[in-house]
Amino acid sequence: MNDWPDAWSDENRGNRYGRGSAGAQPESARVMRQVRRGPAAPSYGVPQQPTYVDGQGYDDGYDGGRYDDGYESGYNSGQVYGTPGGPQGPGPGGPGRPAPNWRRRIKWTAITLVTLLIVVSVGTYFWADSKLHRDVDLSKVIDRPEAGEGTNYLIVGSDSRAGMTAEQKKKLHTGSAEGKRTDSMMILHTGDNGSTLVSLPRDSNVEIPTYKGSDSGKTYQGTGRQTKLNAAYAEDGPELLVRTVEYNTGLHIDHYVEIGFAGFANIVDAVGGVEMNLDKGFKDKYSGADFQAGKQTLNGEQALAFVRTRHAFAASDLERTKNQQKFLSALAHQVATPSTVLNPFKLYPTMSAGLDSLTVDKDMSLWDLGEMFWAMKGVTGGDGKSMNMPISGSANGNLVWDKAKVKTLVNQLKNDEKVTVSGN
């Protein structure tokens, strides 16, 4: 039975869509029949509906797709149930979807990057700080001079072979001597009037003063004994070395930093080698040095041989301290290059190699260490002064300091004044 109004049939419906429609077009694409103004369309048998006004009915206000109050029904535009833009909704930037807020996106991207940078920086700081070996207790040092202006670091390169295999000792020409000695000692002063790096020759003639044993706690009275500076370190370690330097100079040491053979070589290898330009070639069977004149890149093994060599020079230890300063300058600049600092695959191994091999005092912070590094980089790069301790002669094979010049130097460092004294 046909439920359609009179005079309607399935043929009249044509290919329309609705319940039971067999048309291929999907339901969502159905378009409502337009209502036109003007003469009514053929009714196909459907009687025209009257309009009632003024008590006899009501006026619905509908006029060909627009209500009298101005509301557009959308039925006269072929839209799907009033949805703008067709069955798929509005296109990009259309009236139904706001344009992308690029300012907001850039803002949140920047916030995310800054947050990530802060997290990585804080994490790196605590990671690096945890790797420092704070084994030196300067509170055990007795009868210390008063601290002056600025900060003084005692930087020591030791011949410690701790943790090295027999193969490593052979490769690095370190030998197998027991105990520890110092191959290099430097005082780095930082302050408002620039930084000064003073090398202390290991063969410097000094007096061992009264001191308290770092392990036993026993007090050993001074007897006026004269010996080489590096003997103090061999006798009772870093604490006695600091005590001896302070006693013979009158300069207060604020921080202590030490690095051993293996650690030094590892840093150089981690940074990819250090380029040096040598005026003259030299050989030394004791250190394993064998260098030609000219520009060359030194690996860890070669760098260690370079800074340890003294037998190849007439000035012996004095020439070695100059080479040590030259190499530290080149190493500092290599570490600080963008190719190292901006490359995490090189930066972190370099930091790890350096921090793993450093021994510092208990009060040394990572910030102090960073300040020391940048000050040394500046001094060895020409922004400051580098020198040897002034020498006046020798006694029993030891180098004797020039007392007058040393006194002037120490006073200038204590008062953080520009250093005018020259060294050897």
Side-chain angles (χ1 to χ4, degrees):
M1 179 175 182
N2 192 344
D3 292 332
W4 290 87
D6 295 338
W8 282 66
S9 65
D10 290 344
E11 288 78 8
N12 293 128
R13 285 184 294 164
N15 201 19
R16 303 185 185 276
Y17 308 103
R19 181 178 302 174
S21 170
Q25 189 169 357
E27 177 72 16
S28 61
R30 183 195 320 173
V31 178
M32 297 298 296
R33 179 181 184 86
Q34 294 185 359
V35 179
R36 297 180 301 172
R37 301 189 183 192
S43 63
Y44 298 100
V46 179
Q48 184 175 356
Q49 301 298 316
T51 299
Y52 298 92
V53 183
D54 297 333
Q56 301 188 16
Y58 61 90
D59 186 354
D60 61 5
Y62 184 81
D63 184 11
R66 179 186 298 274
Y67 286 93
D68 288 343
D69 61 1
Y71 175 76
E72 283 282 359
S73 69
Y75 289 163
N76 64 342
S77 61
Q79 296 172 351
V80 178
Y81 294 110
T83 302
Q88 300 302 324
R97 177 182 300 173
N101 190 334
W102 290 107
R103 180 177 296 180
R104 181 181 178 87
R105 292 185 181 184
I106 293 173
K107 171 185 173 182
W108 282 107
T109 299
I111 291 175
T112 301
L113 290 176
V114 170
T115 302
L116 180 61
L117 179 62
I118 292 174
V119 170
V120 171
S121 298
V122 172
T124 298
Y125 180 91
F126 284 104
W127 165 77
D129 189 72
S130 67
K131 295 178 78 66
L132 284 176
H133 300 284
R134 297 181 173 91
D135 300 332
V136 179
D137 189 355
L138 295 183
S139 68
K140 296 179 180 179
V141 180
I142 63 174
D143 301 333
R144 308 190 68 186
E146 292 184 3
E149 300 293 329
T151 304
N152 298 311
Y153 299 84
L154 181 60
I155 304 171
V156 174
S158 75
D159 65 357
S160 172
R161 300 160 178 82
M164 294 177 65
T165 64
E167 182 179 352
Q168 288 175 316
K169 292 176 183 178
K170 181 179 180 180
K171 178 181 179 181
L172 298 177
H173 301 273
T174 64
S176 300
E178 296 296 328
K180 294 196 300 182
R181 282 154 294 277
T182 53
D183 262 28
S184 62
M185 290 161 282
M186 303 177 184
I187 294 175
L188 174 66
H189 172 84
T190 64
D192 295 334
N193 287 300
S195 301
T196 303
L197 183 65
V198 183
S199 290
L200 309 176
R202 55 174 274 176
D203 293 339
S204 297
N205 191 78
V206 296
E207 179 181 338
I208 302 295
T210 298
Y211 69 95
K212 181 184 290 187
S214 57
D215 292 328
S216 66
K218 179 181 177 180
T219 299
Y220 297 89
Q221 293 295 328
T223 61
R225 173 165 55 103
Q226 305 286 313
T227 186
K228 294 181 179 181
L229 180 58
N230 69 334
Y233 182 93
E235 187 171 325
D236 199 53
E239 289 82 3
L240 179 54
L241 178 61
V242 171
R243 168 72 175 131
T244 302
V245 169
E246 290 187 339
Y247 178 81
N248 286 269
T249 63
L251 190 67
H252 181 89
I253 299 299
D254 298 291
H255 292 295
Y256 177 92
V257 181
E258 177 187 328
I259 187 169
F261 279 165
F264 181 82
N266 288 340
I267 292 175
V268 175
D269 285 334
V271 83
V274 175
E275 186 177 274
M276 296 289 293
N277 193 0
L278 307 183
D279 297 330
K280 294 168 49 178
F282 59 87
K283 293 183 179 182
D284 181 12
K285 66 177 181 179
Y286 296 99
S287 67
D290 186 1
F291 300 107
Q292 303 295 321
K295 186 177 293 187
Q296 53 208 284
T297 299
L298 309 186
N299 60 25
E301 177 185 348
Q302 294 169 323
L304 185 58
F306 180 80
V307 300
R308 293 183 61 217
T309 297
R310 64 190 181 109
H311 295 286
F313 311 122
S316 188
D317 206 29
L318 290 177
E319 187 66 26
R320 174 165 69 170
T321 57
K322 293 178 181 179
N323 281 342
Q324 289 170 349
Q325 291 182 355
K326 290 178 183 177
F327 185 82
L328 287 177
S329 173
L331 175 60
H333 279 81
Q334 178 66 30
V335 171
T337 57
S339 63
T340 299
V341 175
L342 300 180
N343 183 355
F345 297 103
K346 183 179 287 187
L347 176 63
Y348 282 93
T350 300
M351 291 178 61
S352 181
L355 296 170
D356 276 339
S357 55
L358 287 179
T359 298
V360 300
D361 64 271
K362 292 184 180 299
D363 295 327
M364 172 75 87
S365 69
L366 194 63
W367 180 266
D368 294 323
L369 189 63
E371 182 183 57
M372 183 201 79
F373 172 79
W374 287 110
M376 178 175 287
K377 176 182 178 296
V379 170
T380 54
D383 185 16
K385 185 178 181 67
S386 59
M387 57 182 289
N388 278 327
M389 185 65 84
I391 303 297
S392 61
S394 62
N396 300 320
N398 299 341
L399 298 173
V400 178
W401 293 351
D402 187 318
K403 291 183 179 181
K405 287 186 176 181
V406 170
K407 183 177 180 180
T408 301
L409 171 63
V410 170
N411 286 335
Q412 290 175 340
L413 294 178
K414 276 187 173 182
N415 298 319
D416 194 26
E417 299 172 351
K418 184 177 180 180
V419 172
T420 60
V421 178
S422 60
N424 296 80

